[in-house]
Amino acid sequence: MNHFIKMTGLVMTLCGYASSAPADLSGQWKLMLDQGDGGVTASPACLNFTDSIHLPNTLTLAGKGQPLALAPELGKASLVNLHQRFSFVGPAWYQRDIEVPGDWSDRDVQLELERVLWESRLWVNGTEAGMRDSLSTPHRYELGRLLRPGRNTLTLRIDNREKLPIGIGHAYTNATQTIWNGVAGKMTITAVSRLRVDTLRLRPEVGGNLKITLGMLNSSGKPLAARLAVRVLHPDGGVISETAKSLDAISGESTDSFTVSLGGAPVEWSEFDPRKYTVEVTLESAAGTSVIRDSFGYRLFKAEGRHLLVNDRQVFLRGTLECCIFPKTGHPDMVGNEWEKIFTTAKAHGLNHLRFHSWCPPKVAFETADKHGFYLQVELPNWSFKMGQLPAVDAFFQSEGERILREYGNHPSFVLFSLGNELTGDLAAMDRMLGHLKAIDPDKLYTSTSFAFSPRGQAAGPADDFFISQQTSSGWVRGQGFLNQTAPNTLSDYSPGLSSVAVPLVTHEVGQYNNYPNLAELPKYEGGALRALGYEAIRDDLLRKGRLGDAARYTRDSGKLAALLYKEDVERALRTKDQAGIQLLDLHDFPGQSTATVGILDAFWDSKGLIEPARFREFFGPTVPLARMAKMTWANSETFMADLEIAHFGKQALTHVIVEWSLRDETGAVKAKGSIPVAEITLGNGVALGQITAPLAGVTTASQLTLHVAIAGTDIRNSWPVWVYPNDQAVSSPSIEIVKTGGPRLAEALEAGKRVLVLPDRASVAHPLDARFIPVFWSPLHFPDQPGTLGATIDNRHPVFAAFPTDTHTNWQWWELLATSFAMDLDHLTTKPVMPLCFVDKFDRNALPAAIWEAKVGAGRLLVCTLDIDSNLTRRIAARQLRRSILAYMASPLFAPERELSVEVVNSLFRTTPIAPAAESPSGLNADARDLGIVPGFNDGAK
């Protein structure tokens, strides 16, 4: 007989037999918010329920609790994270009645609450059934001895206050998911046999075998004989293995293990073919029939030296973080729609890996990852700096790890486990805990911490199967340490940083390139649990300044620069032979920790229009062509050279392929091309393809070319921009008056009707703003002591760039001009001049940092350039070409600025007495950077 549910008001009627399906407890529940925490003392019978709520739900989504009173302002309070429209922290009580059939008296009854934050306590008819406190797994209660036939009252107390100091991770935080109260997932009650299979562990083994371990429970109080039957179903359907045996008297808790063959060559689960088998276990006894089903993938995941292997094939983890960001609900998706969007979007961008930063997702996330062939790294709800020093906390973490492995361990996507994020404390205690968890589930690879600002962050521990780091004892393994200090090239890799590591290395939190918030997202928050007060404050500030219409291009151009930097970060890792993977931070925005808009996608996993998924996949897919080039800007007197190689982590080796390459201009015209036959491309990276060369003498005008590399007949391709500048054009124009600052000379030249170019230094400018090529790291509020620019927005159709090809965003040719630079803040001007190049300012200031601007001043015409186009022009060929372009424009009839400023306003932008420049040390720079006059940019620290 199937169970059925009948609800009238708050009464539910349940009926079923021992193997009945779970009955749904969702529906209307009474509600009482216990702000004073007096409910336990008063006892459930004395509670005064005056409200109700439909569960599963959260108080926030139901509009219960304290309404948000904070107004949007451009400061930390608004920008720190998203804000709940209604919040409540404390105990909340939920109650309803159920009708229990008489035949449940000889069965156990289990109640399950799928996700609760943080502690639940349950009473049945006034008698307490227990307490649960997992942040990662369902809260389950045994009710059989407490229920009676007929009407029963369930009273649930959920307390979302912090129970233990577990750190500031994403299992309990307002930074991403909120500190919510309620039940987010399934709520069920199930009658089960008193002799049953309680746990089922499925472990694939070498040779096409499956080890099955059963945990059996007999709660009847007397020994029972049973018959056990096990069936294994093929991914395509049909039974491939059947096992049956009789079991002698079973008492209490017992286990049984046996191995079955999957019959010949098994269907292997991987990112390329994510199919699963099903196992069905039936246990029949005098107590009834118990049936349990689960699925598994035949997936052998292991470390071998520095390599990660899936079914003996080398794999490179192309990952990003998932930090429990669900901005519509404020809690993780428990149904699956959002997880489907996350994994399909990630796969479209070439990813095969997700790291769950300091939290564990619900079952539906594992199921979706299984379906899409993703490799998951799960973590304890842990960002603690006192590991091994707080016994109650350590006990909770160990128990939580046991629960996670037991609950989700059969999922083939679950391959990596970490104790938490950036942990410090007693390292020996961490290693002991790691060993304990390994013994429970040796099917996975373990690491003691996902990086750490301690010696454990620079070298793997003795129990670590793999290692996550940003900087090892021998060097950097991610880009923030070099991109603003090293002249652009694609020669370098992380080999020095990898040289001290003997286990698989995965780079920690790659990227973190802040781009301007996408204000077009604001309507997505309407009707949801959260308000984006920070975005509202940014919008209001730009509106007051009359620049709200510029927000979209701020997002576009800062974001396109971020995408460019992510590409180089990824390719540098792929160029590093034997590196095992990277974890981006992030493919999508992180709306917490002071609004870290670091993604190429928004917080909803939607495109911001920065880069197409197919384009991203070209450098982040299973197979990526790579080019090692000494530089990105070339003189036409040189011969272009590049060494081609490939990182190939596909399903199998490639044989008899043709590698095609070409150099094309912006119209698509081919300037050079060639092909390289390759007999075999094996799995791995650092696979050399050959060297290519192309004389550049035929490029007679300043040009942006693109190097295309592809494998013929496939969608495997990649490309890189390069710039070619003439080597023999004049750099000066006698018709232009060039001055270094404001003052009488500038005023006289303008009053005389001259064309004047001002090339100021920082000390002479009244309102200078420091700028860099790389954008703000992570968030300008979280790390305020860094230059506040997010790249630049460029009017690339302006004739000042006629001889200096450029995108609307800064690209590699701008590096030598911007790596150490400054701009003039023109935000205070009533009349704004035309600004062909303006830095995108950090969003908590929204200044107007103009680097190239022009105006009509009296009878004269003025152009100001704060970028260095004056020094070392023999070596700095991009600066030389920009100077040529500016001077050619100013000498032409096109130089006719429309907007007018007075001489007095212009001179007010300069200091009458220049300040002395601060001394800057070139320590830590490579030779290229020192020769080009570059000083260090912001180098990230602890986050």
Side-chain angles (χ1 to χ4, degrees), residues 31-37 58-60 64-67 84-94 117 158-161 172 174 178-182:
L31 171 68
M32 188 192 85
L33 305 186
D34 188 7
Q35 191 72 70
D37 197 10
T58 67
L59 297 181
T60 302
K64 314 290 184 180
Q66 184 67 35
Q84 296 184 80
R85 297 181 188 274
F86 295 87
S87 62
F88 178 82
V89 177
W93 294 79
Y94 307 83
L117 194 72
I158 295 177
D159 189 350
N160 63 345
R161 290 176 294 187
Y172 183 82
N174 272 320
T178 57
I179 299 175
W180 48 271
N181 194 306

Side-chain angles (χ1 to χ4, degrees), residues 586-662:
D586 197 335
L587 191 66
H588 71 321
D589 284 342
F590 186 103
Q593 211 172 60
S594 304
T595 305
T597 45
V598 296
I600 63 162
L601 306 176
D602 68 20
F604 299 83
W605 287 82
D606 293 328
S607 173
K608 293 192 277 188
L610 306 178
I611 184 171
E612 292 296 319
R615 180 72 183 95
F616 198 89
R617 194 167 59 247
E618 287 178 6
F619 60 83
F620 210 44
T623 305
V624 178
L626 300 165
R628 291 190 185 249
M629 297 177 283
K631 54 187 177 179
M632 310 300 282
T633 54
W634 302 75
N636 66 349
S637 58
E638 298 179 288
T639 295
F640 172 81
M641 298 179 63
D643 290 311
L644 302 186
E645 60 184 54
I646 198 163
H648 177 49
F649 296 95
K651 190 174 183 178
Q652 58 197 15
L654 300 175
T655 57
H656 306 296
V657 301
I658 302 296
V659 178
E660 298 176 332
W661 68 270
S662 63

